[in-house]
Structures are given as structure tokens and as C-alpha cells.
Amino acid sequence: MTPPTDTPYDVAILGAGIAGSTLATILARHGLEVLLIDAGVHPRFVVGESTIPHATATMHVLAERYDIPEFKALANFEDTAEHVAKTCGQKQNFGFVYHEQGRPADPAKANQIVLASGYRRAESHWFRQDIDSYVFHLAVRYGAVPRLNTRIQDIDIDADRGAELRTASGETFNARYLVDATGFRSVLAERFGLRELPTRARTHSRSLFTHMIGVEPFDDVAPVRYDQPSRWHNGTLHHVFDGGWLWVIPFDNNDRSTNPLCSVGLTLTGDAVSEDRDAPEREFAAFLERFPAVAKQFRSATAVRPWVSTGRLQYSASGTVGDRFCLTAQSAGAIDALFSRGLANSFQTVNALAWRIIEAARENDWSTARFAGVDALQQRMFDVHDDLAYSSYVGFRDYTLWDAIFRVWHTYSFYSDAALEHALSRYVAGKDDQVFRALERGDSALARTVRGLLTTARETCEAVERGELTTAAAAAAIIDRINSERFFPDYLPHGKPELRYVDISQDKAMEFMRWSRTEAPRWITESFA
């Protein structure tokens, strides 16, 4: 579809990936004239394939809040497999197996979070080319005007009139507001000098990745027997070691899938982050030689697409909103794939931006001030992810410290997810949009307390890097903080290093909800009253 270039749009969105298409769907559903532009086409290869509860719960929020029932099909594996694509994997757990070069595998050095016991509640391994295409076509179905294979050459933004976009072929488009969801090479970040140079991120990592066939389940080839409650192959497996981690994300781990592929990516930190590096396939082969326990998974594996090798992954922006524009998703900043937070952060930004744009269009008030909360949210999410990733890479030096950081990550995730689910249930009951706006501000006692735990973890790991603390002392300090704050009741394992697997049964979940409303610290009971 080629629209006339003199059509005035309410919003132009640069980037028809999942973030841009999700926003376009919402805005078009609410009657705005939306232009969705991308230099590429669908379908296309994308990583960022592992969902987490915060991502799928936010998709459920978007479905309810903005009246888009099709989004619910992306809120759990069962509905995705039934209504969207039969090319996705299931994710019933987050698994971490620790390795030490030159030492045999140790079954006591592994962690797992069980997310679900069945398809209906399971997270997903999204085969992104199919998922992104589904959301893009949903946006078009709701009325967004698509322009794929269209490269923007120049942009003028006027604080009073909006944006004028000119393509390489000489076409011109006008919009009252411009959203940039293009990624690292954001034209607006470059145009307005918004990239922080150097980035404030403490994390320092790079990745190489591909899709493969023939990757064997680690459960079948592991050199020792692990006693984890859920098969590694039924979730997202992380092989972690001093210096980085390897992801294994199978798309064929369920009887619904017709997809034989597996996403594989190696992320390295420290001295390995340099421009002087080997070809990615040789670098991966050298890694497998160092870790033979991991190599067994790949003895029959073959890459089915060229390897991608990145430079440093981290970048940030000094500001993400301005006169008549917003940088969102990967345009605003990124850390890396650890803990799979990219999708959740993108959907949270869409959730915060969409209602503001809808109200701005209705009131014809596009002042920068009304979008300031989006910038605050994006900067906060960036810093949270950086604290988690930075602390983890320091923790990978020694299993005892990594085990403590693992508990920090799950504590933060657990309470963030619980707060979001609580807000969703309150909204469904009363249709009061203020529950989401309050959550978005992130200033509750619950939010401040769990972010304080992240700060403790990061500062403790900084002390390790400076040589002021041993890894054992740092781990003990972090566990003491978890226990002293009473983040969890005694029957859950978060403050007990001897318990490495977290599998919260329905009975335990019900008991936790009772505890959270009656016996828990005040900052918890106030949040779930």
C-alpha cells in the first residue's frame, strides 16, 4: 500500500519491529492516523526470543487497557501456539548451569526458576520473524498505514507543527508526532546528539549468535546428573562461566512446534570485548573446546544462517523525549540479552507512551512536558537492567557470589511481576486507569525497596572489583540483606543458599499471598492490600 504523500498523520513511527508495530496497533485502534515506516520488510531474523512473565503480563495489560483482544494470544504459550504460530518453543523454566574451565561439572552449581507446569501458564520462545510479522499485520488490520522498504533520508521537526519526513526517493510525509523505534542507529539520537558518549552503563559485553539445527537437549548429554525440578530443555538454558554466558533457546521443545531450530548465542565480557576478534564460527568452536561439557550439546549441531558478531552491546541516551518526538525501545538504549528483559522493557514503554499520545491527539497538546514520564521510565529500566547485568558478570567469577546475585534477580523480578499482576486485576475489576499510571511512576515503597536491593548488589560487586571484598564476603552480605529485609517468608528459598531451585507450587503461592497481606513487612502489605 502506497499512501499519498500529502496525507497528514497524527503519528509517524519509524521502525516496524515488535515495539513500533505494537504501538501502531494501539494508536490505530483508538482512531489516530498512523504511518508505520521501515527500511526493511517482514518476515526477518530477530533475536530477543525468550519471554518473561513481565513481558507477557504487560501484553495482557495492553489487551485490556487498550481493547485489543488479539494481544492476549501472545500472553502465554498455549494461546500463541493455537492462534499465532506453531514455530515457537515453550518456556517452563529459567535455567542456569555454572561451568569452570578445566574442572568437571558440579551438580551443586546450578539454579533454576520454574515458571509454569503446563502449556497454559508457560512462557514462550518466540520465533521472532513470525511473532513480529503477526503484530505488524495486526497494526495494518487496525488501520495503520504501512510503508516497508522505505528509507528516511531527512527529518525536520518543528515544535509547533510536528515532523516532516523525506525519503531517499523524494517523498515527503508529515506527522504531528514522531516515534523512533529503529534501534541503535536511531536517526533522532544522532540528529539531536542524544547518545551518551561514553555510555553510563557499567556492563561491558558483546555477543555472537545464530540459529542451529541438531542441538541436543542438555538433559540427555550432561556429564553429571542434576536434580532440577524441570528439564533444562523445557526452558531457556544459560551456561554461565567466568567471562560470560551461552544461551540455548529451543523452538522444538513441545509437540505443538513444527520448527526444528534452536537459537544459540555466546555473550562475552571483560577483555573479550574488543574490535580485534576472530570470525564468530571459529570463536564459538574455540569456546566449546574450553568447555567440553557444553560441547556435547553441539556435537551434531549445524548453523542454518550466518553467524552475527557484535561489538559492545551497551548504549544509552541522555534523553528520550523532546519537542514532538520520542525514542523508544532499542532506540533509547540497551544492555544485553541477559535475563531477557528487552521485550518487557519495550512493552512497558509502549504502555506508558500510548495513553499519552492518545490524550495529546485528543487535546491537541503535544508539549514535551506531558511525555516526561516516559523518559523517566525508560531511564529507570535501563539502570535496573544495567545493575542486574553488571552484578551478574562480576558474580560469574565465583559460583557463591553468582548464586547470591541469582536470588537478587529473582527477588526483583518476583515483586515487579506481582505488582503488575495486582494492578491488572484491580483494573479488570474497576477499569480505573490510575492503577497503571501509579505503577508506572515507580515511587511506591515496594518499588523503592526492591530497587534498593539492586543497589546493594551492584555496590557490593563494585567493592569486589576494587579488591575491597572477597566474593564469599560479598555473597554473604547480599544474602544477609535479603534476609534482614524479610523479602520472603521462611518456607521460600530465596535467602537460603543451600536451596538452589525455586519452584513455587500453587499451595505455596496461596500461602505467600496470605503472608503478603498479613505478616509481611509493611512495604509489602501496603502494596497488595
Side-chain angles (χ1 to χ4, degrees):
M1 182 184 296
T2 302
T5 57
D6 60 351
T7 301
Y9 293 94
D10 294 308
V11 180
I13 300 174
L14 304 180
I18 196 165
S21 294
T22 300
L23 179 63
T25 301
I26 294 170
L27 300 182
R29 167 68 182 84
H30 286 264
L32 276 68
E33 298 292 335
V34 181
L35 177 65
L36 184 57
I37 307 175
D38 200 289
V41 296
H42 286 285
R44 59 196 181 199
F45 173 67
V46 184
V47 290
E49 299 140 321
S50 172
T51 72
I52 60 176
H54 211 79
T56 50
T58 304
M59 189 57 76
H60 194 172
V61 167
L62 298 178
E64 294 286 349
R65 190 181 191 186
Y66 298 106
D67 191 22
I68 302 175
E70 295 90 343
F71 282 165
K72 289 184 181 179
L74 297 175
N76 61 74
F77 169 76
E78 172 77 6
D79 289 337
T80 300
E82 182 174 350
H83 300 293
V84 181
K86 298 189 184 302
T87 51
C88 297
Q90 65 168 328
K91 178 178 176 177
Q92 293 188 357
N93 67 74
F94 249 118
F96 301 86
V97 177
Y98 190 79
H99 302 270
E100 296 171 279
Q101 188 173 340
R103 295 187 179 182
D106 185 347
K109 295 181 177 180
N111 301 80
Q112 188 180 83
I113 301 290
V114 178
L115 299 172
S117 58
Y119 283 165
R120 178 61 63 185
R121 295 179 58 241
E123 294 296 316
S124 301
H125 293 157
W126 280 354
F127 192 53
R128 285 289 300 275
Q129 69 177 52
D130 290 348
I131 300 299
D132 290 23
S133 184
Y134 169 83
V135 181
F136 167 75
H137 288 100
L138 186 63
V140 176
R141 197 179 316 142
Y142 271 101
V145 175
R147 282 301 301 265
L148 299 182
N149 203 25
T150 300
R151 189 171 297 278
I152 298 300
Q153 183 169 286
D154 196 18
I155 298 174
D156 284 331
I157 297 182
D158 184 276
D160 296 321
R161 294 190 300 272
E164 181 179 88
L165 315 177
R166 290 181 289 278
T167 71
S169 62
E171 295 176 289
T172 301
F173 302 102
N174 292 282
R176 294 199 285 168
Y177 198 77
L178 180 62
V179 176
D180 184 340
T182 55
F184 169 71
R185 294 181 177 83
S186 158
V187 291
L188 293 186
E190 181 178 351
R191 171 72 177 276
F192 295 107
L194 298 176
R195 282 283 173 258
E196 290 184 324
L197 300 173
T199 173
R200 70 180 185 272
R202 295 176 176 84
T203 308
H204 202 87
S205 63
R206 66 177 177 88
S207 287
L208 47 133
F209 49 83
T210 189
H211 282 168
M212 307 183 90
I213 57 172
V215 179
E216 298 182 57
F218 189 64
D219 310 82
D220 300 341
V221 300
V224 295
R225 183 181 180 276
Y226 294 90
D227 58 350
Q228 84 283 357
S230 175
R231 276 175 58 85
W232 302 117
H233 190 61
N234 287 353
T236 303
L237 176 58
H238 306 66
H239 293 293
V240 300
F241 55 93
D242 183 7
W245 61 286
L246 173 75
W247 76 69
V248 182
I249 302 176
F251 300 113
D252 65 347
N253 63 355
N254 65 93
D255 56 13
R256 300 289 190 92
S257 178
T258 60
N259 186 354
L261 300 182
C262 180
S263 178
V264 177
L266 178 63
T267 303
L268 302 169
T269 189
D271 294 338
V273 185
S274 70
E275 295 303 318
D276 182 18
R277 56 185 183 270
D278 206 348
E281 56 271 21
R282 290 198 294 271
E283 193 170 14
F284 185 66
F287 164 77
L288 294 181
E289 288 182 5
R290 292 165 49 207
F291 294 97
V294 180
K296 289 184 178 182
Q297 271 199 277
F298 298 93
R299 57 192 175 188
S300 302
T302 304
V304 299
R305 57 171 299 110
W307 283 86
V308 176
S309 180
T310 75
R312 186 183 179 187
L313 294 163
Q314 294 74 40
Y315 58 93
S316 52
S318 56
T320 63
V321 300
D323 291 338
R324 299 277 184 157
F325 74 86
C326 178
L327 308 183
T328 187
Q330 297 297 302
S331 294
I335 299 299
D336 73 11
L338 187 60
F339 302 127
S340 305
R341 295 191 60 83
L343 288 168
N345 289 352
S346 292
F347 296 154
Q348 283 290 297
T349 301
V350 168
N351 192 31
L353 182 58
W355 67 267
R356 288 177 167 86
I357 291 179
I358 293 168
E359 290 188 356
R362 184 170 63 240
E363 299 168 11
N364 195 28
D365 174 11
W366 300 92
S367 59
T368 304
R370 75 184 307 153
F371 295 94
V374 178
D375 179 64
L377 174 67
Q378 294 198 102
Q379 302 290 8
R380 188 167 65 246
M381 291 190 301
F382 179 90
D383 291 336
V384 162
H385 195 182
D386 186 38
D387 282 353
L388 287 169
Y390 166 79
S391 300
S392 296
Y393 285 120
V394 176
F396 290 165
R397 300 176 185 183
D398 177 82
Y399 175 75
T400 301
L401 180 55
W402 156 239
D403 178 68
I405 299 300
F406 165 84
R407 295 162 197 277
V408 170
W409 158 68
H410 186 252
T411 299
Y412 177 84
S413 300
F414 181 93
Y415 279 106
S416 298
D417 298 346
L420 182 60
E421 292 282 4
H422 185 62
L424 175 59
S425 65
R426 290 179 61 197
Y427 178 80
V428 170
K431 298 301 180 183
D432 180 5
D433 199 66
Q434 292 301 319
V435 299
F436 294 131
R437 301 189 189 197
L439 186 65
E440 176 191 303
R441 290 192 293 271
D443 57 2
S444 68
L446 173 65
R448 293 194 302 271
T449 303
V450 293
R451 286 202 305 272
L453 177 62
L454 297 189
T455 301
T456 294
R458 186 247 303 158
E459 290 176 346
T460 303
C461 287
E462 287 176 315
V464 170
E465 281 214 296
R466 293 192 300 267
E468 298 170 1
L469 277 179
T470 65
T471 54
I478 291 169
I479 295 297
D480 284 348
R481 172 68 189 272
I482 292 173
N483 288 326
S484 66
E485 290 279 4
R486 293 185 62 218
F487 279 97
F488 292 97
D490 291 340
Y491 53 81
L492 293 180
H494 299 76
K496 302 175 183 177
E498 69 276 10
L499 301 178
R500 296 171 290 108
Y501 303 129
V502 180
D503 184 2
I504 302 178
S505 65
Q506 185 173 1
D507 288 344
K508 285 185 178 179
M510 294 297 292
E511 179 64 17
F512 170 79
M513 292 308 299
R514 186 200 63 77
W515 174 84
S516 70
R517 293 188 175 104
T518 57
E519 302 172 24
R522 185 174 179 180
W523 58 268
I524 295 176
T525 58
E526 288 179 346
S527 300
F528 299 109

